Amino acid sequence: MAGGSFGPTGVSKERAEQYQGRVTPFVIIACVVAAVGGSLFGYDIGISGGVISMNGFLKKFFHRVYEKKQHAHENNYCKFDDQGLGAFTSSLYLAGLVASLMASPVTRNFGRRISIICGGISFLTGAALNASAQNLAMLLLGRIMLGFGIGFGNQAILIYLSEMAPAHIRGGLNILFQLATTLGIFTANMINYGTSKLEPWGWRLSLGLAAVPATLMTVGGLLVPETPNSLIERGQNDKGREILEKIRGTENVSAEFQDIIDASELAKSIRHPFRNILERRNRPQLIMAIFMPTFQILTGINIILFYAPILFQSMGFKGDASLYASALTGAVLASSTFISIATVDRLGRRFLLISGGIQMVICLVIVAIILGVKFGTEGTLSRGYSIAVVIVFCLFVLAFGWSWGPLGWTVPSEIFPLETRSAGQSITVAVNLFFTFVIAQSFLALLCGLKYGIFLFFAAWITIMTIFVYFFLPETKGVPIEEMILLWRKHWFWKKIVPEMEINDSIARTSHGADSGDA
């Protein structure tokens, strides 16, 4: 510990009770504008499933799948099993994974706004390429550019929201990102319904209209102010305090300003945040940054969102009926997000995650039973059972929309200290997109192989993640973002890994190591 006591120590005491300020129109507008970037993610999730069920699109790029689709006696679960078709959907998420890691140093060194703007421009480019695609290579290049846009946007927007929001409503404002995502999904479903009637070129309109949310995100990034945390981290203390006073509506922000100063002093001493995040004192946050997005994808929600039309067609729903059903689930998802916004800062993160998990397990088991007993591999569901499946799917989506949908993003974005926040969010986004890629690429084959058992597979994972939250996730409701580091040493399990002395010692060693490296 020699020399450690002279280095920065970060936030070492709780000042939350001294925080002052109110919810200002300025902070609400800034957060709403920034959160619009979530609509890019949602629009793509919603548009992909509809497009890959359109005959005009399949004829041009995936003719073999189009031929299989026309065979009335093809195994229902295997009609759309094609790795090329899976690559169309999943290539975006692999590109986003790479982009999210590239975005971390940009977000840290140049600010949150720059990453948001870069994401919007990349998405605009991808939308143009997809709408005008003449061959599969051009189509996939467009998907890759869309992925870069999502990687940069998702990495920066959630950090932006967490840093701008007052602690007592941080959960609600952070979930604006998920609200924008769900509205993007619903909008995409409605657009797909309309463009499906414009054969054989309707798919171009669906893909090209992605330019609308991309433009909103780019313009929004130009209009919103930088976060005080980012400004102070980059040495602009006076400007940082000015913005802090503006978003809190008071000049008496000394306690919060000092927390940010303390956190930024430690952040400046960290030369390699990705290396630092592996240290023992950051172990709980790292585990959450990996497990929360992993579990969010393993709920199975993406199989319903971007394969909804295909999924419902596989169950015997015809043409418009499958698009109606997927549009309905999109509407339910969007509306359920309002439940989370209204309750997350009152009931807490844990309650919503656990209750949502229980409801989702029940729904998936019911769907598996109906399909296993009443559907088979070459049959169709009766009208009554078809309606029952759609209702249960809607209840599943409803539960996801108030729990793992928004909170799978919110919790990781609010738990990291400033010095590793950008790196931590990059890991969260990268893990989310990696598992989205895996599920997108493998789902059609899994559906063909497991049949109705695919729903039991995801039900088992939701059971595991619900138990994990119960035992290992502390409640973050109302805890100031720069004091989140103090939360872990109060938890029954994490305090064994990050006790109070370990926090101070580790910070001292990090500071000493950084000083030595500069010598």
Side-chain angles (χ1 to χ4, degrees):
M1 284 185 58
S5 60
F6 297 102
T9 60
V11 179
S12 57
K13 64 179 181 179
E14 298 181 61
R15 301 187 182 95
E17 293 182 357
Q18 302 173 39
Y19 280 27
Q20 295 191 29
R22 56 188 172 83
V23 181
T24 61
F26 185 80
V27 75
I28 296 294
I29 292 171
C31 287
V32 168
V33 171
V36 165
S39 62
L40 273 71
F41 194 36
Y43 186 86
D44 183 78
I45 289 173
I47 216 71
S48 298
V51 165
I52 62 179
S53 69
M54 293 183 188
N55 288 335
F57 178 81
L58 292 175
K59 276 184 182 179
K60 185 169 183 64
F61 297 108
F62 304 99
H63 198 269
R64 188 173 71 90
V65 178
Y66 173 75
E67 293 293 335
K68 288 171 64 178
K69 182 182 175 184
Q70 307 311 307
H71 295 164
H73 298 293
E74 182 82 34
N75 185 312
N76 282 301
Y77 293 104
C78 301
K79 287 179 180 179
F80 296 90
D81 183 17
D82 183 87
Q83 288 301 303
L85 190 60
F88 165 75
T89 302
S90 62
S91 57
L92 179 148
Y93 302 104
L94 190 60
L97 186 160
V98 175
S100 66
L101 299 176
M102 294 170 58
S104 176
V106 175
T107 303
R108 188 183 188 205
N109 297 321
F110 301 101
R112 289 42 167 156
R113 292 174 64 243
I114 294 298
S115 285
I116 293 173
I117 293 168
C118 287
I121 293 172
S122 296
F123 209 87
L124 268 172
T125 305
L129 285 169
N130 276 174
S132 59
Q134 298 301 313
N135 51 55
L136 186 58
M138 193 173 176
L139 189 71
L140 292 179
L141 179 60
R143 295 289 291 174
I144 290 170
M145 291 305 299
L146 294 176
F148 269 80
I150 285 176
F152 270 84
N154 287 13
Q155 197 275 345
I157 290 170
L158 287 153
I159 294 177
Y160 186 93
L161 295 174
S162 289
E163 291 180 341
M164 290 291 279
H168 66 285
I169 61 165
R170 186 179 60 244
L173 288 182
N174 210 307
I175 291 171
L176 288 175
F177 175 84
Q178 177 69 9
L179 177 61
T181 301
T182 58
L183 290 175
I185 293 170
F186 177 68
T187 301
N189 287 332
M190 293 294 97
I191 289 172
N192 276 338
Y193 176 71
T195 58
S196 66
K197 302 179 184 301
L198 302 175
E199 292 286 7
W201 56 272
W203 61 270
R204 292 189 184 276
L205 185 58
S206 287
L207 296 177
L209 285 174
V212 175
T215 301
L216 292 175
M217 177 172 165
T218 306
V219 173
L222 292 169
L223 294 178
V224 297
E226 188 55 85
T227 71
N229 310 64
S230 178
L231 290 167
I232 293 169
E233 183 182 15
R234 291 181 286 132
Q236 302 177 45
N237 290 16
D238 292 341
K239 181 65 174 176
R241 177 152 190 150
E242 178 186 333
I243 294 295
L244 186 62
E245 291 176 356
K246 196 169 185 178
I247 63 177
R248 299 296 180 252
T250 178
E251 294 182 356
N252 192 4
V253 294
S254 297
E256 186 171 2
F257 182 70
Q258 189 58 50
D259 270 352
I260 299 175
I261 289 285
D262 291 348
S264 69
E265 288 300 317
L266 178 58
K268 291 172 187 175
S269 74
I270 304 300
R271 299 289 182 265
H272 305 288
F274 279 103
R275 186 185 305 168
N276 181 262
I277 208 171
L278 299 175
E279 291 190 359
R280 184 181 178 90
R281 72 187 183 90
N282 289 320
R283 195 71 47 77
Q285 299 98 312
L286 178 61
I287 289 174
M288 293 300 166
I290 294 172
F291 277 60
M292 292 298 288
T294 300
F295 286 153
Q296 184 193 54
I297 300 306
L298 289 176
T299 59
I301 187 64
N302 284 349
I303 69 172
I304 295 174
L305 296 182
F306 51 62
Y307 285 122
I310 281 180
L311 197 60
F312 286 123
Q313 283 186 27
S314 295
M315 293 177 189
F317 288 69
K318 301 299 181 183
D320 287 353
S322 69
L323 287 170
Y324 278 136
S326 59
L328 178 60
T329 57
V332 171
L333 180 62
S335 61
S336 67
T337 308
F338 288 101
I339 299 175
S340 191
I341 291 174
T343 59
V344 67
D345 290 308
R346 287 187 290 173
L347 300 178
R349 284 65 161 158
R350 283 169 49 84
F351 175 84
L352 295 182
L353 287 167
I354 292 170
S355 60
I358 293 171
Q359 181 168 321
M360 285 190 289
V361 169
I362 294 171
C363 290
L364 289 182
V365 170
I366 291 173
V367 170
I369 291 172
I370 292 175
L371 296 184
V373 174
K374 297 294 182 181
F375 185 45
T377 59
E378 297 183 7
T380 57
L381 287 175
S382 67
R383 178 178 175 82
Y385 281 110
S386 296
I387 293 173
V389 167
V390 172
I391 291 173
V392 176
F393 267 142
C394 287
L395 291 174
F396 172 87
V397 169
L398 183 72
F400 177 85
W402 84 56
S403 59
W404 281 94
L407 298 178
W409 291 111
T410 296
V411 171
S413 73
E414 66 185 0
I415 60 176
F416 280 95
L418 185 59
E419 74 269 16
T420 56
R421 188 168 299 147
S422 182
Q425 186 61 21
S426 287
I427 291 172
T428 298
V429 175
V431 171
N432 181 284
L433 294 176
F434 172 75
F435 278 96
T436 303
F437 165 77
V438 170
I439 294 298
Q441 186 65 30
S442 62
F443 169 67
L444 294 175
L446 285 172
L447 179 64
C448 181
L450 296 179
K451 302 177 175 58
Y452 62 86
I454 188 74
F455 300 105
L456 297 178
F457 171 79
F458 288 116
W461 277 110
I462 298 172
T463 301
I464 292 170
M465 65 187 72
T466 303
I467 294 171
F468 175 85
V469 167
Y470 182 81
F471 285 107
F472 298 112
L473 180 66
E475 182 55 66
T476 59
K477 177 185 68 174
V479 180
I481 191 168
E482 300 304 351
E483 295 186 5
M484 202 68 70
I485 186 67
L486 306 175
L487 185 67
W488 304 102
R489 72 174 187 232
K490 301 175 183 178
H491 187 267
W492 73 272
F493 177 78
W494 298 119
K495 68 181 180 182
K496 302 173 186 176
I497 297 175
V498 193
E500 183 174 359
M501 287 302 295
E502 179 67 26
I503 292 176
N504 293 332
D505 287 352
S506 180
I507 293 173
R509 286 195 301 272
T510 301
S511 303
H512 179 63
D515 292 339
S516 299
D518 293 338

